[in-house]
Structure formats: C-alpha cells, structure tokens
Amino acid sequence: MNIKFKRLNKTIVKCKKCPRLTNFIKKVSTEKRKQNLNEEYWGKPVTGFGDRKAKLMIIGLAPAAHGGTRTGRAFTGDKSGDFLFKSLHSVKISNQNFSNNINDGLRLKSTYITNILKCVPPGDKPMNNELSSCSDYFVKELDYLKDLKVIVALGKVAFDNCLKIYKKKFIINKKIIFKHNKNYLLPDGKTLIACYHPSPRNVNTGRINEKKMTSLFRKVLKLI
Ligand code: SF4
C-alpha cells in the first residue's frame, strides 16, 4: 500500500493537468506574502498525508495559497489549520495542537487529511474541469485507504464535490445536503459527515467554534 501511495504522490506533485492552477501556484510562490518573503514556497500540488491505515479521512477543498502551497502539507501554516489542529489535539486525533511545517513532528492517529483539489485555485474558486481532472487522485486515495469508515468534509464545496465523485460510481437516490454535524451513510458503507470549514471567517462569525468542532470529532471517534 505504501508503494501505491508513493507512486500516487509522486504523480500528483508533478501534475500539470490544469494550466490555470499551475500558473497560479507559480505566481503565488514567486510573489509570496509579506511575512513569508524570505521563505522558499513549496510551489507544487499538495498531496494528502497521515495514517495509511486511517479509519477517518478529513477533506478540505484545496490547499491555501500561503498555507499548504507554501509549506507543502495540507492545513499547515494557515489559520484554518491552527484551528483544526487545536480541535484534533483536544480529542487526541493528533499528537500536537499545531501544524506549522512538514518537519514539526505532527502525527495523526488513524486519520488521513487531504483536499479534493490538490492545487490552490485563484480566489478559492475552482472550475468544473479542474475538479473533474483532479478527482482521479481523490478516488485513488479512497481506494488505497482500505480501513476507511468515516469522511468528514470541511465546508460545503468539499462536501458537494465528494458527493459528486461518489455519484459517478454509485446511484444515490436519497437527498444529501450539507448540514453541519449531519451523518450520511454512503453506498460503500462509509459515513460522510458535514462540518463547517474552520476558516477565519467561520470562526470569527461564530459559525464554528472549538466546542462544536471537538464535539463533532468526539462523535466521529465513536464511529471508527
Ligand atoms: S488540480 Fe489536480 S489535476 Fe489539476 S494540476 Fe493540480 S494536481 Fe493536477
């Protein structure tokens, strides 16, 4: 299984299937953000990471411009990641409450974190053809994680696109809509759970807070 993942990640990192996104990554990584001007940006697509025997998968939409695209790891080096890892550490899914860089010692317990789209899109708005081109990689991640039981989708766009990918393979007749903390049983036996994205906007408006997020992950721990 590790060899399969190694091959997959090697392919993802070199992928240039979406010229608009490849150019945007180049722009972001060259221009940089003021506080990171002296850093070398990862500047490539960002793979998933975590436990290859994971029972839980956490998905976002795409790496952040100055988070994952800078550090090379999803939800690493940005405010959404700061919030997420505080919550994951509270429920002992991660060994530490921060995720700053790929050498920070972070370990996940039975959990794998990835994004539906492996490259940051301008304005966080991907095009349908980009989502479609990248979906093969997500399908492979699902396939390689043989012990997977639960998928937590952070945000409506990640949730909807995960569902869209499932609908290509399965007929799903029941109505499945994004509702925070709601579980849906998928045709392959996995459970899909909707969770508000821990973005600064959602945190600042109180849509999501640490109590809500840790309570959702406590529920998840009972399912895996
Ligand atoms: S979004 Fe996915 S398919 Fe498109 S270039 Fe990035 S890795 Fe390749």
Side-chain angles (χ1 to χ4, degrees), residues 12 15-18 21 45 117-119 133-134 137:
I12 292 173
C15 183
K16 290 187 169 44
K17 280 197 269 182
C18 312
L21 303 187
L117 194 75
K118 311 303 186 210
C119 296
S133 296
C134 212
Y137 300 140

Side-chain angles (χ1 to χ4, degrees), residues 49-51 73 85 88-89 92-99 101-113:
F49 75 101
D51 188 347
R73 194 172 67 191
F85 284 98
L88 294 182
H89 184 246
K92 299 190 171 56
I93 288 178
S94 66
N95 67 330
Q96 59 191 38
N97 62 1
F98 59 92
S99 170
N101 64 73
I102 50 167
N103 297 314
D104 61 9
L106 178 70
R107 297 277 174 275
L108 300 175
K109 194 176 154 197
S110 200
T111 300
Y112 180 89
I113 298 182

Side-chain angles (χ1 to χ4, degrees), residues 119-131:
C119 296
V120 58
D124 291 324
K125 289 193 170 44
M127 293 167 82
N128 283 340
N129 63 321
E130 293 160 351
L131 286 161

Side-chain angles (χ1 to χ4, degrees), residues 59 79 122:
I59 54 169
K79 290 210 181 320

Side-chain angles (χ1 to χ4, degrees), residues 21-75:
L21 303 187
T22 306
N23 289 336
F24 186 61
I25 290 179
K26 206 170 164 190
K27 183 176 185 286
V28 163
S29 308
T30 315
E31 291 176 0
K32 304 182 185 180
R33 183 172 60 172
K34 208 174 167 191
Q35 61 262 49
N36 305 111
L37 281 178
N38 295 326
E39 282 180 46
E40 185 150 343
Y41 275 49
W42 168 251
K44 287 175 270 210
V46 178
T47 67
F49 75 101
D51 188 347
R52 307 284 157 91
K53 292 193 171 150
K55 292 182 181 163
L56 165 65
M57 178 191 252
I58 300 173
I59 54 169
L61 171 64
H66 303 283
T69 308
R70 175 173 61 89
T71 61
R73 194 172 67 191
F75 288 98

